Amino acid sequence: MNRRIALALLLVAALGTAGQAQMGIHYGVHFEKLTAASSGSNWHMGVGWDFDLNDRLSGGLDVHTDMNWTTVDDYYYGYSTEYGERLKVIGIQYRSQFHFMDNDGTSVYLGPTVGLRAVKQKIEYGVETPSFFGSSTYELVRVEGKGMVFPLGLRLGLRGSMESGYADLFIGVGTYLGSGEPFTTLAILKKESLPNRTFFQVGLNYGFGW
């Protein structure tokens, strides 16, 4: 239910700007870590929609996914257990921006941003079982857990005019709202595999406006 409500609010906010004249669509990449573990690539790619409300106000809506295309291969060591971790992420982000100079040219902006991340955490770990004959059998166990966090923060960027091709270089900081509970409820997980409480983003978009 929380996911449906959040998506509905973001959609309503975006549709409310549909009548604006200056718009653009973009492709981009950004860096973002949802846990402290080295769970594969922390780069995300996506597409989005940008719009100008007036000379100083703009906004946008982004949809993105992780770039973790390989299998689980990053391992962490606990007391006597090793495990591998990989995160899969689908996210959506809405933002509102105030430009410090007219946005019909290159301008610096700052504004709030809110979104959601649907996360799937894939864990692999080995279980060794001693046998009666002095040898052991080894079994690889795969577990998947799901969760959701809601990033809320500020975004600072440098964007070109949307009259034709434009670039948007940005950084973002804030907090992840949510339960803070592990995505996967396994006792072997170290604290590095738990959801982060804060986030840092850096990214670059390139788009075309009309």
Side-chain angles (χ1 to χ4, degrees):
M1 182 61 68
N2 287 339
R3 181 184 302 186
R4 293 178 182 177
I5 293 174
L7 286 172
L9 290 175
L10 291 174
L11 182 60
V12 169
L15 290 176
T17 64
Q20 302 307 317
Q22 194 69 51
M23 299 182 185
I25 56 174
H26 68 255
Y27 168 81
V29 295
H30 77 269
F31 176 89
E32 180 180 352
K33 286 177 68 71
L34 279 90
T35 73
S38 300
S39 52
S41 173
N42 291 298
W43 286 96
H44 303 247
M45 66 176 186
V47 295
W49 173 42
D50 299 299
F51 54 85
D52 286 343
L53 293 169
N54 54 43
D55 291 341
R56 294 297 180 98
L57 295 177
S58 69
L61 184 68
D62 307 304
V63 179
H64 63 86
T65 184
D66 63 90
M67 298 173 69
N68 278 324
W69 297 315
T70 60
T71 59
V72 173
D73 59 5
D74 296 303
Y75 285 87
Y76 306 92
Y77 294 85
Y79 297 102
S80 59
T81 307
E82 63 180 22
Y83 66 91
E85 175 185 345
R86 181 73 60 180
L87 291 183
K88 301 298 295 179
V89 183
I90 297 177
I92 186 170
Q93 197 79 18
Y94 181 78
R95 46 194 164 78
S96 178
Q97 300 155 174
F98 173 78
H99 294 252
F100 294 96
M101 59 282 289
D102 288 351
N103 54 29
D104 57 356
T106 300
S107 58
V108 176
Y109 66 81
L110 176 69
T113 178
V114 61
L116 64 85
R117 305 285 185 269
V119 184
K120 179 184 292 184
Q121 186 180 50
K122 298 183 176 182
I123 301 292
E124 290 185 359
Y125 64 96
V127 176
E128 187 175 4
T129 305
S131 70
F132 293 105
F133 303 101
S135 59
S136 301
T137 59
Y138 186 86
E139 179 184 3
L140 186 64
V141 180
R142 293 180 174 90
V143 177
E144 290 187 1
K146 297 180 180 179
M148 182 170 294
V149 295
F150 301 87
L152 174 65
L154 289 174
R155 173 162 158 162
L156 174 68
L158 177 67
R159 199 203 73 184
S161 169
M162 289 196 298
E163 293 182 356
S164 56
Y166 64 95
D168 181 8
L169 178 65
F170 64 89
I171 60 173
V173 294
T175 183
Y176 287 123
L177 303 179
S179 66
E181 295 296 322
F183 300 124
T184 306
T185 56
L186 289 174
I188 64 173
L189 295 186
K190 300 180 69 175
K191 64 179 181 179
E192 288 83 358
S193 297
L194 303 182
N196 282 335
R197 301 304 298 176
T198 60
F199 71 84
F200 171 78
Q201 298 174 341
V202 59
L204 176 65
N205 297 329
Y206 186 81
F208 295 90
W210 63 89

